[in-house]
Amino acid sequence: AKFNGIYVGGQACFLGISLKEIFFDGAEIKGDLFFWPDDKGNPCIIEGQAKFNGIYVGGQAGFLGTSFMNKMFFDEAEIKGGLFFGPDDRGNPCSIEGEARFHGAHIGGQVNFKRVLFKEEVLFQGTHVDGEVIVIGTEIPKFMAVGARFSKTLEINSGTKIVDLVLKDAKVGTLNIDWGSISGKLELMGCEYGSVEDKEKLLEILLAKRVRERQPYEFLEDYSRQIGE
C-alpha cells in the first residue's frame, strides 16, 4: 500500500490490516496516526518494509500489537505528539523484525517502547526528542543514538534487555538507566547529560566493561563536582 505524499485532514487509523508493505513517505496527517487491532483482536501485520520517511503527524503516532516483519523507517519524520510502540489490550506485543530507524526525526512528545520485541538495531542518528524516551520490558540487540538530542530523560527500566548501548555524541537531559540491563558494549564517548541517576553505578559499569576512552570518566567527574560531590 502506497500513501506517499497523501494529505489527511484529521486522524488516520488502521485496524487489523495485513499488508505486503506500506509507504507513507512525505505524507501529511493533521491528526493522530494509529495502527491498532480490529474489534476481533486481529493485529496489524506489515510483511515488507514500512516507510514513514519525512512524514508529518500533527498529533500522536501509536502502534499497538503491530507486527513489522521487515525494516521500519522514520527518517526525517516530524511527529508533534508522542510516538508509542507497545502491546494491545490483549497483551499481544509489538514486534519489529528488521532494523528500526529514526535518523533525523523530530518527536515533539514522548517516545515510548513498552514490551517491544526488536530483532535488529534501533537507530537514532541526529534524532531530536523533546519529551522523555522510555524503554520498558523491551528486548533490543543494539540501541544506537549517535548525535541524538533527548531533551528530557532517557529511561531504561529493569526488565529491559539491551545487548549494546551506544550514546556517542548524544546530549541527554537525564540518564535514568538500569545499567544492569546492558549485557554487551557500552559506548558513551562524547555523551553529555544534565544529570544522571546512580552515578556510582555508572562508574562501576564503565570500569567493569573496561571502557578505555577518558571522556566518559572526565564528564562524570565534572558532573560530580558541579553537584558538590
Side-chain angles (χ1 to χ4, degrees), residues 121-178:
E121 299 174 332
V122 180
L123 305 172
F124 293 91
Q125 183 167 323
T127 310
H128 189 176
V129 181
D130 294 336
E132 298 87 359
V133 178
I134 299 177
V135 185
I136 303 171
T138 290
E139 297 182 12
I140 306 176
K142 189 172 191 176
F143 185 103
M144 178 179 288
V146 177
R149 303 294 181 266
F150 298 153
S151 298
K152 294 186 178 179
T153 300
L154 171 59
E155 181 176 338
I156 299 176
N157 291 335
S158 60
T160 293
K161 296 179 181 179
I162 296 179
V163 179
D164 296 333
L165 177 64
V166 179
L167 300 178
K168 184 178 180 181
D169 297 325
K171 295 186 184 300
V172 184
T174 299
L175 288 177
N176 184 7
I177 296 174
D178 175 21

Short mmCIF file of all heavy atoms in Angstrom, two decimals, residues 121-178:
data_model
loop_
_atom_site.label_atom_id
_atom_site.label_comp_id
_atom_site.label_asym_id
_atom_site.label_seq_id
_atom_site.Cartn_x
_atom_site.Cartn_y
_atom_site.Cartn_z
N GLU A 121 18.75 -3.69 15.07
CA GLU A 121 19.14 -2.44 15.70
C GLU A 121 17.99 -1.42 15.74
O GLU A 121 17.13 -1.39 14.88
CB GLU A 121 20.30 -1.80 14.93
CG GLU A 121 21.56 -2.65 14.88
CD GLU A 121 22.63 -2.04 14.01
OE1 GLU A 121 22.28 -1.31 13.07
OE2 GLU A 121 23.82 -2.30 14.27
N VAL A 122 18.07 -0.57 16.77
CA VAL A 122 17.23 0.62 16.86
C VAL A 122 18.16 1.81 16.74
O VAL A 122 19.08 1.97 17.56
CB VAL A 122 16.45 0.67 18.19
CG1 VAL A 122 15.59 1.92 18.25
CG2 VAL A 122 15.60 -0.58 18.36
N LEU A 123 17.95 2.66 15.73
CA LEU A 123 18.92 3.69 15.38
C LEU A 123 18.32 5.08 15.46
O LEU A 123 17.32 5.38 14.80
CB LEU A 123 19.44 3.44 13.96
CG LEU A 123 20.04 2.05 13.68
CD1 LEU A 123 20.34 1.89 12.21
CD2 LEU A 123 21.29 1.85 14.52
N PHE A 124 18.94 5.92 16.29
CA PHE A 124 18.55 7.32 16.41
C PHE A 124 19.77 8.19 16.07
O PHE A 124 20.52 8.59 16.96
CB PHE A 124 18.12 7.65 17.84
CG PHE A 124 16.86 7.00 18.31
CD1 PHE A 124 16.90 5.77 18.95
CD2 PHE A 124 15.63 7.61 18.13
CE1 PHE A 124 15.74 5.17 19.40
CE2 PHE A 124 14.46 7.01 18.57
CZ PHE A 124 14.52 5.79 19.21
N GLN A 125 19.99 8.47 14.82
CA GLN A 125 21.13 9.29 14.44
C GLN A 125 20.64 10.70 14.13
O GLN A 125 19.86 10.93 13.21
CB GLN A 125 21.85 8.72 13.22
CG GLN A 125 23.10 9.52 12.84
CD GLN A 125 23.97 8.77 11.84
OE1 GLN A 125 24.11 7.54 11.91
NE2 GLN A 125 24.55 9.49 10.91
N GLY A 126 21.12 11.67 14.93
CA GLY A 126 20.70 13.05 14.74
C GLY A 126 19.23 13.28 15.07
O GLY A 126 18.64 14.28 14.66
N THR A 127 18.64 12.37 15.83
CA THR A 127 17.22 12.47 16.21
C THR A 127 17.05 13.45 17.36
O THR A 127 17.89 13.54 18.25
CB THR A 127 16.70 11.09 16.64
OG1 THR A 127 17.06 10.13 15.63
CG2 THR A 127 15.21 11.10 16.83
N HIS A 128 15.94 14.20 17.35
CA HIS A 128 15.65 15.15 18.42
C HIS A 128 14.30 14.78 19.04
O HIS A 128 13.29 14.76 18.35
CB HIS A 128 15.60 16.58 17.89
CG HIS A 128 15.52 17.63 18.94
ND1 HIS A 128 15.54 18.97 18.67
CD2 HIS A 128 15.42 17.53 20.29
CE1 HIS A 128 15.46 19.66 19.80
NE2 HIS A 128 15.37 18.80 20.80
N VAL A 129 14.32 14.49 20.34
CA VAL A 129 13.10 14.15 21.07
C VAL A 129 12.91 15.17 22.18
O VAL A 129 13.75 15.31 23.06
CB VAL A 129 13.16 12.72 21.66
CG1 VAL A 129 11.86 12.40 22.39
CG2 VAL A 129 13.42 11.69 20.57
N ASP A 130 11.79 15.91 22.13
CA ASP A 130 11.53 16.93 23.14
C ASP A 130 11.07 16.34 24.47
O ASP A 130 11.27 16.94 25.53
CB ASP A 130 10.47 17.91 22.63
CG ASP A 130 10.95 18.71 21.42
OD1 ASP A 130 12.18 18.86 21.26
OD2 ASP A 130 10.10 19.18 20.64
N GLY A 131 10.40 15.21 24.43
CA GLY A 131 9.90 14.58 25.65
C GLY A 131 10.83 13.48 26.13
O GLY A 131 11.99 13.39 25.71
N GLU A 132 10.33 12.65 27.03
CA GLU A 132 11.12 11.54 27.55
C GLU A 132 11.24 10.42 26.52
O GLU A 132 10.37 10.25 25.66
CB GLU A 132 10.48 10.97 28.83
CG GLU A 132 10.38 11.93 29.99
CD GLU A 132 9.11 12.77 29.96
OE1 GLU A 132 8.32 12.60 29.00
OE2 GLU A 132 8.92 13.60 30.86
N VAL A 133 12.32 9.67 26.63
CA VAL A 133 12.49 8.43 25.88
C VAL A 133 12.46 7.31 26.91
O VAL A 133 13.35 7.22 27.76
CB VAL A 133 13.80 8.40 25.08
CG1 VAL A 133 13.96 7.06 24.36
CG2 VAL A 133 13.84 9.56 24.07
N ILE A 134 11.42 6.48 26.87
CA ILE A 134 11.20 5.48 27.92
C ILE A 134 11.18 4.09 27.29
O ILE A 134 10.44 3.84 26.34
CB ILE A 134 9.88 5.75 28.66
CG1 ILE A 134 9.93 7.14 29.33
CG2 ILE A 134 9.62 4.67 29.70
CD1 ILE A 134 8.65 7.52 30.04
N VAL A 135 11.99 3.21 27.85
CA VAL A 135 12.09 1.83 27.36
C VAL A 135 11.74 0.91 28.52
O VAL A 135 12.44 0.88 29.53
CB VAL A 135 13.50 1.52 26.82
CG1 VAL A 135 13.53 0.13 26.22
CG2 VAL A 135 13.94 2.56 25.79
N ILE A 136 10.66 0.13 28.37
CA ILE A 136 10.15 -0.71 29.45
C ILE A 136 10.00 -2.15 28.96
O ILE A 136 9.32 -2.39 27.97
CB ILE A 136 8.78 -0.20 29.95
CG1 ILE A 136 8.86 1.26 30.41
CG2 ILE A 136 8.25 -1.09 31.07
CD1 ILE A 136 7.50 1.87 30.72
N GLY A 137 10.64 -3.09 29.63
CA GLY A 137 10.43 -4.50 29.35
C GLY A 137 10.65 -4.89 27.90
O GLY A 137 9.96 -5.77 27.38
N THR A 138 11.61 -4.26 27.27
CA THR A 138 11.82 -4.40 25.83
C THR A 138 13.14 -5.10 25.55
O THR A 138 14.11 -4.94 26.30
CB THR A 138 11.79 -3.01 25.17
OG1 THR A 138 10.44 -2.51 25.22
CG2 THR A 138 12.26 -3.03 23.74
N GLU A 139 13.21 -5.86 24.46
CA GLU A 139 14.43 -6.54 24.04
C GLU A 139 15.00 -5.86 22.79
O GLU A 139 14.30 -5.73 21.79
CB GLU A 139 14.15 -8.01 23.76
CG GLU A 139 13.68 -8.79 24.98
CD GLU A 139 13.45 -10.25 24.68
OE1 GLU A 139 13.89 -10.71 23.60
OE2 GLU A 139 12.87 -10.95 25.53
N ILE A 140 16.27 -5.40 22.89
CA ILE A 140 16.91 -4.69 21.78
C ILE A 140 18.34 -5.20 21.62
O ILE A 140 19.14 -5.10 22.55
CB ILE A 140 16.95 -3.16 22.04
CG1 ILE A 140 15.55 -2.62 22.35
CG2 ILE A 140 17.55 -2.44 20.84
CD1 ILE A 140 15.54 -1.14 22.71
N PRO A 141 18.68 -5.73 20.45
CA PRO A 141 20.08 -6.15 20.24
C PRO A 141 21.06 -4.99 20.30
O PRO A 141 22.17 -5.13 20.83
CB PRO A 141 20.05 -6.77 18.84
CG PRO A 141 18.63 -7.15 18.60
CD PRO A 141 17.83 -6.10 19.30
N LYS A 142 20.66 -3.83 19.75
CA LYS A 142 21.56 -2.68 19.76
C LYS A 142 20.73 -1.40 19.73
O LYS A 142 19.94 -1.19 18.81
CB LYS A 142 22.52 -2.71 18.57
CG LYS A 142 23.61 -1.65 18.63
CD LYS A 142 24.63 -1.90 17.52
CE LYS A 142 25.87 -1.03 17.71
NZ LYS A 142 26.90 -1.34 16.68
N PHE A 143 20.93 -0.56 20.74
CA PHE A 143 20.27 0.75 20.82
C PHE A 143 21.35 1.79 20.54
O PHE A 143 22.26 1.98 21.35
CB PHE A 143 19.66 0.96 22.20
CG PHE A 143 18.87 2.22 22.36
CD1 PHE A 143 17.48 2.18 22.35
CD2 PHE A 143 19.49 3.45 22.54
CE1 PHE A 143 16.73 3.34 22.52
CE2 PHE A 143 18.76 4.61 22.71
CZ PHE A 143 17.37 4.56 22.69
N MET A 144 21.25 2.44 19.39
CA MET A 144 22.31 3.36 18.97
C MET A 144 21.74 4.76 18.77
O MET A 144 20.88 4.97 17.90
CB MET A 144 22.98 2.86 17.69
CG MET A 144 24.07 3.79 17.17
SD MET A 144 24.88 3.15 15.67
CE MET A 144 25.83 1.80 16.37
N ALA A 145 22.20 5.71 19.57
CA ALA A 145 21.79 7.11 19.45
C ALA A 145 23.04 7.94 19.25
O ALA A 145 23.69 8.37 20.21
CB ALA A 145 21.03 7.56 20.69
N VAL A 146 23.40 8.16 17.99
CA VAL A 146 24.62 8.90 17.65
C VAL A 146 24.23 10.34 17.31
O VAL A 146 23.46 10.58 16.39
CB VAL A 146 25.34 8.25 16.46
CG1 VAL A 146 26.56 9.08 16.07
CG2 VAL A 146 25.76 6.83 16.81
N GLY A 147 24.76 11.28 18.09
CA GLY A 147 24.43 12.68 17.86
C GLY A 147 22.98 13.02 18.11
O GLY A 147 22.48 14.05 17.65
N ALA A 148 22.28 12.18 18.86
CA ALA A 148 20.87 12.42 19.16
C ALA A 148 20.74 13.47 20.27
O ALA A 148 21.66 13.69 21.06
CB ALA A 148 20.19 11.12 19.58
N ARG A 149 19.57 14.11 20.33
CA ARG A 149 19.25 15.08 21.37
C ARG A 149 17.98 14.64 22.07
O ARG A 149 16.90 14.72 21.50
CB ARG A 149 19.08 16.48 20.77
CG ARG A 149 20.28 17.00 20.00
CD ARG A 149 21.48 17.23 20.93
NE ARG A 149 22.64 17.75 20.22
CZ ARG A 149 23.63 17.01 19.71
NH1 ARG A 149 23.56 15.69 19.83
NH2 ARG A 149 24.65 17.54 19.11
N PHE A 150 18.13 14.13 23.28
CA PHE A 150 16.99 13.74 24.10
C PHE A 150 16.85 14.81 25.19
O PHE A 150 17.59 14.80 26.17
CB PHE A 150 17.19 12.36 24.71
CG PHE A 150 17.33 11.24 23.70
CD1 PHE A 150 18.05 10.09 24.00
CD2 PHE A 150 16.75 11.34 22.45
CE1 PHE A 150 18.17 9.06 23.07
CE2 PHE A 150 16.87 10.31 21.51
CZ PHE A 150 17.58 9.16 21.83
N SER A 151 15.94 15.74 25.00
CA SER A 151 15.88 16.93 25.84
C SER A 151 15.55 16.63 27.29
O SER A 151 15.98 17.36 28.19
CB SER A 151 14.86 17.92 25.28
OG SER A 151 15.22 18.34 23.99
N LYS A 152 14.80 15.59 27.53
CA LYS A 152 14.43 15.26 28.90
C LYS A 152 15.16 13.98 29.35
O LYS A 152 16.36 13.90 29.29
CB LYS A 152 12.92 15.16 29.03
CG LYS A 152 12.24 16.52 28.82
CD LYS A 152 10.74 16.48 29.09
CE LYS A 152 10.13 17.86 28.92
NZ LYS A 152 8.66 17.85 29.16
N THR A 153 14.42 12.98 29.77
CA THR A 153 15.02 11.79 30.37
C THR A 153 15.11 10.64 29.37
O THR A 153 14.17 10.39 28.63
CB THR A 153 14.20 11.33 31.59
OG1 THR A 153 14.16 12.38 32.55
CG2 THR A 153 14.80 10.09 32.23
N LEU A 154 16.25 9.96 29.38
CA LEU A 154 16.36 8.65 28.75
C LEU A 154 16.23 7.63 29.87
O LEU A 154 17.12 7.52 30.72
CB LEU A 154 17.68 8.48 28.02
CG LEU A 154 17.99 7.06 27.50
CD1 LEU A 154 16.92 6.58 26.54
CD2 LEU A 154 19.37 7.00 26.86
N GLU A 155 15.11 6.93 29.88
CA GLU A 155 14.82 5.98 30.97
C GLU A 155 14.77 4.57 30.42
O GLU A 155 13.95 4.25 29.55
CB GLU A 155 13.49 6.34 31.64
CG GLU A 155 13.12 5.41 32.79
CD GLU A 155 11.84 5.85 33.49
OE1 GLU A 155 11.47 7.04 33.38
OE2 GLU A 155 11.22 4.99 34.14
N ILE A 156 15.67 3.73 30.90
CA ILE A 156 15.69 2.32 30.53
C ILE A 156 15.47 1.53 31.81
O ILE A 156 16.34 1.48 32.68
CB ILE A 156 17.01 1.94 29.85
CG1 ILE A 156 17.19 2.74 28.55
CG2 ILE A 156 17.05 0.44 29.56
CD1 ILE A 156 18.50 2.51 27.85
N ASN A 157 14.29 0.93 31.93
CA ASN A 157 13.88 0.29 33.17
C ASN A 157 14.38 -1.14 33.28
O ASN A 157 14.73 -1.78 32.29
CB ASN A 157 12.35 0.29 33.29
CG ASN A 157 11.78 1.67 33.51
OD1 ASN A 157 12.47 2.54 34.03
ND2 ASN A 157 10.55 1.88 33.11
N SER A 158 14.40 -1.63 34.51
CA SER A 158 14.71 -3.03 34.74
C SER A 158 13.66 -3.88 34.04
O SER A 158 12.50 -3.49 33.91
CB SER A 158 14.72 -3.35 36.24
OG SER A 158 13.46 -3.06 36.81
N GLY A 159 14.06 -5.05 33.58
CA GLY A 159 13.18 -5.88 32.77
C GLY A 159 13.45 -5.71 31.29
O GLY A 159 13.03 -6.52 30.48
N THR A 160 14.17 -4.65 30.97
CA THR A 160 14.62 -4.43 29.59
C THR A 160 15.92 -5.19 29.36
O THR A 160 16.75 -5.30 30.27
CB THR A 160 14.83 -2.93 29.33
OG1 THR A 160 13.55 -2.28 29.39
CG2 THR A 160 15.46 -2.67 27.98
N LYS A 161 16.11 -5.70 28.15
CA LYS A 161 17.33 -6.41 27.81
C LYS A 161 17.94 -5.77 26.56
O LYS A 161 17.39 -5.89 25.47
CB LYS A 161 17.05 -7.90 27.55
CG LYS A 161 16.54 -8.64 28.78
CD LYS A 161 16.25 -10.10 28.45
CE LYS A 161 15.72 -10.85 29.67
NZ LYS A 161 15.42 -12.27 29.36
N ILE A 162 19.06 -5.08 26.76
CA ILE A 162 19.78 -4.45 25.66
C ILE A 162 21.18 -5.04 25.60
O ILE A 162 21.87 -5.11 26.62
CB ILE A 162 19.86 -2.93 25.84
CG1 ILE A 162 18.45 -2.31 25.82
CG2 ILE A 162 20.72 -2.29 24.75
CD1 ILE A 162 18.42 -0.82 26.03
N VAL A 163 21.59 -5.49 24.43
CA VAL A 163 22.94 -6.02 24.31
C VAL A 163 23.94 -4.87 24.26
O VAL A 163 24.74 -4.68 25.16
CB VAL A 163 23.07 -6.93 23.08
CG1 VAL A 163 24.51 -7.46 22.97
CG2 VAL A 163 22.10 -8.11 23.18
N ASP A 164 23.88 -4.04 23.22
CA ASP A 164 24.80 -2.91 23.09
C ASP A 164 24.04 -1.59 23.20
O ASP A 164 23.00 -1.41 22.55
CB ASP A 164 25.52 -2.95 21.74
CG ASP A 164 26.42 -4.16 21.58
OD1 ASP A 164 26.88 -4.69 22.62
OD2 ASP A 164 26.65 -4.59 20.44
N LEU A 165 24.60 -0.67 23.99
CA LEU A 165 24.03 0.68 24.13
C LEU A 165 25.09 1.68 23.70
O LEU A 165 26.16 1.77 24.29
CB LEU A 165 23.61 0.95 25.57
CG LEU A 165 23.07 2.36 25.86
CD1 LEU A 165 21.78 2.61 25.08
CD2 LEU A 165 22.83 2.55 27.37
N VAL A 166 24.78 2.44 22.65
CA VAL A 166 25.72 3.42 22.10
C VAL A 166 25.06 4.80 22.15
O VAL A 166 24.05 5.04 21.49
CB VAL A 166 26.11 3.07 20.65
CG1 VAL A 166 27.06 4.13 20.09
CG2 VAL A 166 26.74 1.68 20.58
N LEU A 167 25.64 5.70 22.94
CA LEU A 167 25.15 7.08 23.05
C LEU A 167 26.25 8.04 22.63
O LEU A 167 26.48 9.06 23.27
CB LEU A 167 24.70 7.37 24.49
CG LEU A 167 23.57 6.50 25.04
CD1 LEU A 167 23.27 6.88 26.49
CD2 LEU A 167 22.31 6.63 24.19
N LYS A 168 26.92 7.73 21.56
CA LYS A 168 28.06 8.52 21.11
C LYS A 168 27.60 9.92 20.69
O LYS A 168 26.71 10.08 19.86
CB LYS A 168 28.75 7.83 19.94
CG LYS A 168 30.01 8.52 19.47
CD LYS A 168 30.67 7.74 18.34
CE LYS A 168 31.93 8.44 17.87
NZ LYS A 168 32.59 7.69 16.75
N ASP A 169 28.24 10.95 21.29
CA ASP A 169 27.96 12.35 20.97
C ASP A 169 26.51 12.74 21.20
O ASP A 169 26.03 13.74 20.64
CB ASP A 169 28.35 12.68 19.52
CG ASP A 169 29.85 12.50 19.27
OD1 ASP A 169 30.64 12.78 20.20
OD2 ASP A 169 30.23 12.07 18.15
N ALA A 170 25.81 12.00 22.02
CA ALA A 170 24.42 12.32 22.33
C ALA A 170 24.36 13.35 23.46
O ALA A 170 25.26 13.43 24.30
CB ALA A 170 23.66 11.06 22.73
N LYS A 171 23.27 14.13 23.47
CA LYS A 171 23.01 15.07 24.55
C LYS A 171 21.68 14.69 25.19
O LYS A 171 20.66 14.64 24.49
CB LYS A 171 22.99 16.51 24.04
CG LYS A 171 24.33 17.00 23.51
CD LYS A 171 24.30 18.46 23.13
CE LYS A 171 25.61 18.92 22.50
NZ LYS A 171 26.76 18.74 23.41
N VAL A 172 21.72 14.43 26.49
CA VAL A 172 20.55 13.91 27.20
C VAL A 172 20.30 14.76 28.44
O VAL A 172 21.23 15.13 29.15
CB VAL A 172 20.77 12.44 27.61
CG1 VAL A 172 19.52 11.87 28.25
CG2 VAL A 172 21.18 11.59 26.41
N GLY A 173 19.02 15.06 28.70
CA GLY A 173 18.69 15.81 29.91
C GLY A 173 19.07 15.03 31.15
O GLY A 173 19.87 15.48 31.97
N THR A 174 18.52 13.83 31.31
CA THR A 174 18.81 12.98 32.46
C THR A 174 18.98 11.54 31.99
O THR A 174 18.17 11.03 31.22
CB THR A 174 17.67 13.03 33.50
OG1 THR A 174 17.52 14.37 33.98
CG2 THR A 174 17.96 12.10 34.68
N LEU A 175 20.04 10.90 32.48
CA LEU A 175 20.21 9.46 32.26
C LEU A 175 19.63 8.72 33.45
O LEU A 175 20.12 8.86 34.58
CB LEU A 175 21.70 9.11 32.11
CG LEU A 175 22.42 9.54 30.83
CD1 LEU A 175 23.89 9.15 30.92
CD2 LEU A 175 21.78 8.90 29.60
N ASN A 176 18.59 7.96 33.22
CA ASN A 176 17.99 7.14 34.27
C ASN A 176 17.94 5.71 33.73
O ASN A 176 16.94 5.28 33.18
CB ASN A 176 16.60 7.65 34.63
CG ASN A 176 15.99 6.89 35.79
OD1 ASN A 176 16.64 6.05 36.42
ND2 ASN A 176 14.73 7.15 36.08
N ILE A 177 19.05 5.02 33.87
CA ILE A 177 19.24 3.73 33.20
C ILE A 177 19.55 2.65 34.22
O ILE A 177 20.39 2.84 35.11
CB ILE A 177 20.38 3.82 32.16
CG1 ILE A 177 19.99 4.81 31.04
CG2 ILE A 177 20.69 2.45 31.57
CD1 ILE A 177 21.09 5.07 30.04
N ASP A 178 18.85 1.53 34.11
CA ASP A 178 19.24 0.33 34.86
C ASP A 178 20.44 -0.26 34.13
O ASP A 178 20.28 -0.99 33.14
CB ASP A 178 18.07 -0.66 34.91
CG ASP A 178 18.48 -1.96 35.57
OD1 ASP A 178 19.48 -1.97 36.32
OD2 ASP A 178 17.80 -2.98 35.33
#
